[in-house]
């Protein structure tokens, strides 16, 4: 059994609020996409140091508009500093605008801004001293690790010690705290940034993070509830059910109703740590801007801003509660999908109380069969639910790893932990469908142009050198027929393409790729001869035929 981390959004009651939050989420998925380089280094790409300090899911700096932020910052600096920072911010603003164009949406509101982080970190002399000590700690530890990698490379033993160095990196990130654990979790899902062997080791961070003491967690719960635990719960688990970078989960029983619930509680004093690390990350990024602009065509600070915005959103459990409400609304008429409910009256910014999901881990085929669940039916349900999120709602679960997806005994699929969700605009969905149609029709020129429209290639990039590579990848992947197509094979070849051409994977599509790969892996675990397209095609065809948007119906006509 595992629990559910419900996320809600107040969609039906507050449509304007829902729209605002969706826009904010979309923004946050942008900039991490910008962290890719063409150069390769030992376990991680050269520019990946910025990615470790940055990573996935949110966007840059601001509140209302980039211009507002720029004028405020410029007004607060001296005349000489004004010119330099004004130019820098102009570039950052241009990058942000380009990202908005790629996504087909512009965000009017952002939870994170560099100014907020700086003000919180530099609010007192004691805070500045703490910041300096933290900077020394980070530089010292990462410097030692980098030196060890360089030594391995120089003596020619870099390949033979990879397993040891990968474990060493995972342990180092754990020692450096939540911000670095979160960065490691992001890298674990970015084969375009980090080597596969290191990536596999960092995947452990998704399920195996050291918990903090129960007494500390229980005290936080009581502070949020405003009353003793025994006044609300008849019992609570003595051990954590799950521990993550930002919090951990317990199982409990409500005193009033007798219902079993999952309690997600945030790590103590984590917010000051996150702010401090984000300030240091952004300071480092300012020194890497030249390299980042040269190699990636994007501002390194923007990458950190994206990571910071997402991280601060994940720290606020009220936002995660809203995520779940969105999913509940989307799947309210779907009897095959289970989304847990949230107990709003017992939840706050640091504690989230949710319905307990009594399901079977989706990677336990024997247990699923013993429960009398039809495996083929469950796979169809899972694929349909994933495609609905991607092509119908545009709001999808960004981290459907085996610990977050369960098989219910009645054949439904259940999702938990909605802290990491992503949004695709209608424009992006249409271009994505275009790309699928062009792939089926083997129109590689248009496939390359779709890459530009989706943000994989910078506007104006000459796509002619990429067309033969795309053709080779696709022909090789479907050589035996579309029924044998699988995402892992295509993604592996595409990752090689990323190294050789000026291609970056926008963060929102990185989440899409990760989501599809993870769910395909689950399907293979349950059924080794699983054929994804055989299950997906009926849904996609129905979707194109019945969608109220005529532009989508026209795509079906284009299929040869």
């Amino acid at each position: 059994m595992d629990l559910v981390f419900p996320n809600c959004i107040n969609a039906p009651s507050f449509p304007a609020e829902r729209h605002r939050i969706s826009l904010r989420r979309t923004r946050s998925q942008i900039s991490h996409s910008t962290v890719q380089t063409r150069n390769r280094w030992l376990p991680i790409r050269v520019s990946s140091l910025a990615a470790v300090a940055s990573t996935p899911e949110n966007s840059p700096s601001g509140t209302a508009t980039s211009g507002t932020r720029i004028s405020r910052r410029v007004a607060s600096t001296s005349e000489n500093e004004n010119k330099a920072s004004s130019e820098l911010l102009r570039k950052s603003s241009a990058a942000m605008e380009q990202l908005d164009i790629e996504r087909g949406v512009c965000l009017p509101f952002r939870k994170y801004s560099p100014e907020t982080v700086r003000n919180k970190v530099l609010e007192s002399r004691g805070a500045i001293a703490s910041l300096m000590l933290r900077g020394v700690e980070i530089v010292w530890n990462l410097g030692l690790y980098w030196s060890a990698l360089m030594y391995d490379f120089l003596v020619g033993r870099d390949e033979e010690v990879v397993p040891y160095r990968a474990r060493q990196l995972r342990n180092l990130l754990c020692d450096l705290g939540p911000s670095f654990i979160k960065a490691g979790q992001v890298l674990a899902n970015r084969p375009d940034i980090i080597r596969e062997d290191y990536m596999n080791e960092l995947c452990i961070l998704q399920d195996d993070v050291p918990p903090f003491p129960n007494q500390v967690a229980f005290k936080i719960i009581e502070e949020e509830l405003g009353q003793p635990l025994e006044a609300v719960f008849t019992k609570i688990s003595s051990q954590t059910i799950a521990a993550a970078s930002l919090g951990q989960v317990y199982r409990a029983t409500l005193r009033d109703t007798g219902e079993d619930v999952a309690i997600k509680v945030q790590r103590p004093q984590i917010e000051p740590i996150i702010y401090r690390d984000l300030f240091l990350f952004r300071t480092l990024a300012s020194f890497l801007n030249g390299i980042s602009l040269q190699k990636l065509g994007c501002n390194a600070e923007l990458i950190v801003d994206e990571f910071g915005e997402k991280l601060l959103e994940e720290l606020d459990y009220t936002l995660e509660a809203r995520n779940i409400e969105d999913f509940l609304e989307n799947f309210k008429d779907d009897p095959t999908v289970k989304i847990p409910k949230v107990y709003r009256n017992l939840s706050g910014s640091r504690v989230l109380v949710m319905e307990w999901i009594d399901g079977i881990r989706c990677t336990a085929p024997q247990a699923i069969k013993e429960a009398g669940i039809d495996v083929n039916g469950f796979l169809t349900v899972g694929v349909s639910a994933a495609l609905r999120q991607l092509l119908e709602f545009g709001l999808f679960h960004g981290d459907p790893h085996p610990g977050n997806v369960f098989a219910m005994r009645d054949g439904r699929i259940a999702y938990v932990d909605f802290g990491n969700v992503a949004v695709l605009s209608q424009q992006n969905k249409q271009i994505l469908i275009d790309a699928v149609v062009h792939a089926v029709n083997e129109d590689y020129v248009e496939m390359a142009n779709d890459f530009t429209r989706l943000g994989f290639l910078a506007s104006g990039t000459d796509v002619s050198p990429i067309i033969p590579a795309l053709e080779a990848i696709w022909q090789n992947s479907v050589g035996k027929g579309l029924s044998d197509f699988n995402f892992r094979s295509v993604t592996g070849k595409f990752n090689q393409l990323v190294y050789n051409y000026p291609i970056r994977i926008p963060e929102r599509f990185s989440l899409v790729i990760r989501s599809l790969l993870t769910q395909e892996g689950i399907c293979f675990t349950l059924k080794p001869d699983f054929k994804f397209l055989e299950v997906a095609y009926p849904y996609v065809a129905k979707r194109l035929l019945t969608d109220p948007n005529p532009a989508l119906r026209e795509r079906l006509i284009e299929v040869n």
Side-chain angles (χ1 to χ4, degrees):
M1 284 195 286
D2 245 311
L3 46 169
V4 176
F5 314 160
N7 324 40
C8 329
I9 268 207
N10 297 334
S13 304
F14 306 98
E17 173 71 3
R18 180 184 182 186
H19 180 62
R20 179 182 67 79
I21 293 170
S22 296
L23 287 176
R24 183 178 64 238
R25 288 202 197 105
T26 308
R27 177 88 191 176
S28 71
Q29 297 153 24
I30 296 181
S31 36
H32 182 62
S33 52
T34 57
V35 194
Q36 274 109 96
T37 26
R38 309 308 141 223
N39 297 330
R40 195 169 189 179
W41 173 73
L42 296 168
I44 307 174
R45 293 192 173 195
V46 173
S47 66
S48 299
L49 287 185
V52 173
S54 56
T55 49
E57 287 171 354
N58 293 313
S59 273
S61 40
T63 49
T65 63
S66 300
T68 304
R69 289 192 305 276
I70 291 175
S71 32
R72 276 204 301 265
R73 182 181 296 183
V74 170
S76 66
T77 58
S78 66
E79 185 174 350
N80 290 336
E81 291 172 329
N82 238 347
K83 296 179 181 178
S85 61
S86 181
E87 174 64 16
L88 186 61
L89 288 168
R90 184 191 64 77
K91 294 178 180 178
S92 178
S93 177
M96 292 167 59
E97 290 171 4
Q98 177 59 38
L99 290 171
D100 284 338
I101 292 172
E102 288 175 7
R103 289 179 325 178
V105 67
C106 180
L107 296 189
F109 171 79
R110 297 184 182 90
K111 184 179 179 66
Y112 161 94
S113 76
E115 291 82 3
T116 301
V117 171
R118 183 176 62 248
N119 292 338
K120 281 185 173 289
V121 170
L122 303 180
E123 61 186 0
S124 67
R125 290 184 179 180
I128 295 174
S130 175
L131 179 69
M132 294 176 65
L133 290 174
R134 177 62 169 168
V136 170
E137 178 190 10
I138 293 172
V139 171
W140 176 258
N141 283 281
L142 292 182
L144 287 177
Y145 181 74
W146 181 278
S147 299
L149 290 175
M150 289 296 98
Y151 175 77
D152 294 338
F153 178 73
L154 292 173
V155 301
R157 67 173 192 178
D158 49 307
E159 291 298 328
E160 64 186 73
V161 298
V162 161
Y164 171 74
R165 294 301 183 199
R167 287 193 302 273
Q168 189 180 27
L169 176 60
R170 173 171 58 84
N171 292 331
L172 174 60
L173 296 178
C174 283
D175 292 340
L176 287 174
S179 305
F180 286 86
I181 294 173
K182 179 59 67 175
Q185 291 172 345
V186 171
L187 289 176
N189 295 294
R190 296 303 298 258
D192 54 323
I193 295 175
I194 192 169
R195 282 174 46 151
E196 184 176 3
D197 35 26
Y198 280 77
M199 183 179 69
N200 292 336
E201 182 67 29
L202 293 180
C203 281
I204 297 174
L205 294 174
Q206 294 176 336
D207 295 308
D208 186 17
V209 177
F212 56 94
N214 286 345
Q215 58 268 30
V216 177
F218 295 162
K219 182 179 179 181
I220 293 173
I221 296 173
E222 289 182 335
E223 289 174 354
E224 287 290 310
L225 293 175
Q227 52 188 319
L229 287 179
E230 55 269 20
V232 181
F233 310 104
T234 56
K235 59 181 179 180
I236 187 170
S237 58
S238 58
Q239 294 183 337
T240 58
I241 305 301
S245 56
L246 304 183
Q248 58 196 38
V249 182
Y250 296 88
R251 181 176 181 175
T253 302
L254 293 178
R255 180 170 294 280
D256 290 344
T257 63
E259 296 173 288
D260 284 344
V261 296
I263 308 172
K264 186 175 181 179
V265 55
Q266 193 173 100
R267 289 183 178 272
Q269 301 299 317
I270 191 174
E271 189 172 284
I273 297 172
I274 296 295
Y275 274 105
R276 186 178 57 191
D277 286 350
L278 287 177
F279 180 85
L280 292 170
F281 289 169
R282 205 170 194 279
T283 301
L284 173 63
S286 67
F287 291 103
L288 298 176
N289 269 339
I291 297 175
S292 180
L293 287 168
Q294 180 183 2
K295 299 292 184 181
L296 305 176
C298 71
N299 191 313
E301 290 181 342
L302 187 64
I303 298 168
V304 176
D305 289 341
E306 175 191 33
F307 176 57
E309 188 176 41
K310 180 60 177 178
L311 201 50
L312 292 186
E313 285 184 0
E314 288 194 52
L315 280 179
D316 187 351
Y317 287 172
T318 60
L319 294 181
E320 184 174 348
R322 289 172 183 170
N323 290 345
I324 257 213
E325 287 173 356
D326 260 356
F327 275 83
L328 281 168
E329 173 67 14
N330 288 342
F331 285 108
K332 65 181 180 181
D333 297 323
D334 192 333
T336 67
V337 178
K338 172 63 178 176
I339 306 294
K341 66 179 180 181
V342 171
Y343 294 81
R344 281 283 196 160
N345 60 320
L346 300 176
S347 301
S349 61
R350 296 186 298 163
V351 172
L352 189 58
V353 178
M354 305 154 284
E355 177 184 3
W356 177 268
I357 294 298
D358 188 7
I360 303 169
R361 286 179 70 100
C362 57
T363 50
Q366 189 59 37
I368 289 177
K369 292 176 182 177
E370 290 175 356
I373 300 172
D374 176 29
V375 173
N376 289 330
F378 178 72
L379 291 175
T380 300
V381 164
V383 171
S384 297
L387 292 174
R388 288 195 72 192
Q389 292 174 52
L390 183 62
L391 299 178
E392 186 174 337
F393 308 137
L395 175 69
F396 62 95
H397 197 299
D399 191 21
H401 66 75
N404 288 340
V405 183
F406 297 91
M408 306 296 287
R409 285 168 175 77
D410 57 5
R412 290 180 296 170
I413 187 171
Y415 293 94
V416 304
D417 194 354
F418 294 84
N420 188 1
V421 301
V423 178
L424 287 182
S425 68
Q426 183 65 27
Q427 173 181 309
N428 279 169
K429 288 188 292 182
Q430 290 183 5
I431 299 173
L432 197 59
I433 292 175
D434 280 343
V436 172
V437 171
H438 293 145
V440 172
N441 289 343
E442 299 184 358
D443 188 343
Y444 304 109
V445 174
E446 285 305 314
M447 278 180 67
N449 289 330
D450 292 332
F451 272 32
T452 301
R453 296 165 64 201
L454 290 171
F456 285 76
L457 294 167
S459 179
T461 301
D462 179 13
V463 299
S464 56
I466 300 173
I467 294 172
L470 286 175
E471 181 176 2
I473 290 175
W474 184 252
Q475 292 290 350
N476 186 273
S477 299
V478 299
K480 299 178 182 178
L482 275 176
S483 62
D484 293 314
F485 171 91
N486 69 79
F487 286 109
R488 189 160 300 280
S489 172
V490 173
T491 301
K493 295 178 176 63
F494 181 72
N495 290 338
Q496 299 173 11
L497 184 68
V498 170
Y499 279 111
N500 299 320
Y501 295 93
I503 297 174
R504 68 177 178 87
I505 302 177
E507 185 272 340
R508 59 198 178 281
F509 291 113
S510 172
L511 288 178
V512 170
I513 293 169
R514 177 179 71 179
S515 180
L516 292 174
L517 281 175
T518 303
Q519 293 183 77
E520 182 186 60
I522 291 172
C523 293
F524 283 139
T525 300
L526 296 178
K527 185 179 180 181
D529 61 346
F530 172 75
K531 308 291 186 184
F532 182 86
L533 287 187
E534 288 183 0
V535 179
Y537 182 77
Y539 168 81
V540 174
K542 179 181 178 182
R543 169 78 177 142
L544 293 177
L545 282 169
T546 61
D547 194 277
N549 184 350
L552 291 182
R553 295 198 300 271
E554 291 173 3
R555 267 60 173 186
L556 188 62
I557 301 174
E558 297 175 15
V559 179
N560 293 332

